[in-house]
Amino acid sequence: MKLLTSLAAAAALSLVSLTAIAADYKAGDLMLSKAWTRATPPKAKAGGGFVEIMNMGSEADRLVAAKSDVAKKTELHEMAVTDGVMKMREMEGGIEVPAGETVTLKPGGLHIMFMGLNQSFEEGSKVPVVLTFEKAGDVTVELDVAKMGAKAMKHGDHGDHGDHDHGKKKHN
Ligand SMILES: [Cu+2]
């Protein structure tokens, strides 16, 4: 009986988490899904945001800006290895989303960068962010806050990221 109860609880839990990540957003020919971020420690100064952008149209679009009240500054970034060191840089011209393709913003690659956090991200909550596309215009997505990553956010030139620097090069 006890086993049955926990199985039922586990089933209910997985149902909840599936529902929590199911939100899709449509803007023009674009479909945005899997919008998420990670919980941040109380003193964190920065956080990353991730989302999948599918372009179902016949013309390329471009993510040109991101903004949110949760941070003083929100930018579009890319992580890349330069001289053997994982670094990030701002995508000055935005991020292209070619026709018929899916661009995935994910840890270690392209990401939305929140700098100067006004609040910490609590696991299970949502972080709203407005994404601006050249053609599709503005779309507000809510990033699901996943649990805090075990690995550090290593941002090189963004300075202090709290006491979570474990010396890993990977940025989550
Ligand atoms: Cu960044």
Side-chain angles (χ1 to χ4, degrees), residues 76-80 87-91 95 108-111:
L76 301 169
H77 279 191
E78 179 187 47
M79 290 291 293
K87 279 193 174 164
M88 26 185 243
R89 65 183 178 105
E90 187 178 3
M91 300 293 284
I95 296 168
L110 296 164
H111 57 280

Side-chain angles (χ1 to χ4, degrees), residues 47 77-79 88-89 111-114 153 155 158 171:
H77 279 191
E78 179 187 47
M79 290 291 293
M88 26 185 243
R89 65 183 178 105
H111 57 280
I112 300 159
M113 185 82 227
F114 301 105
M153 292 187 66
H155 280 146
H158 290 328
H171 145 93

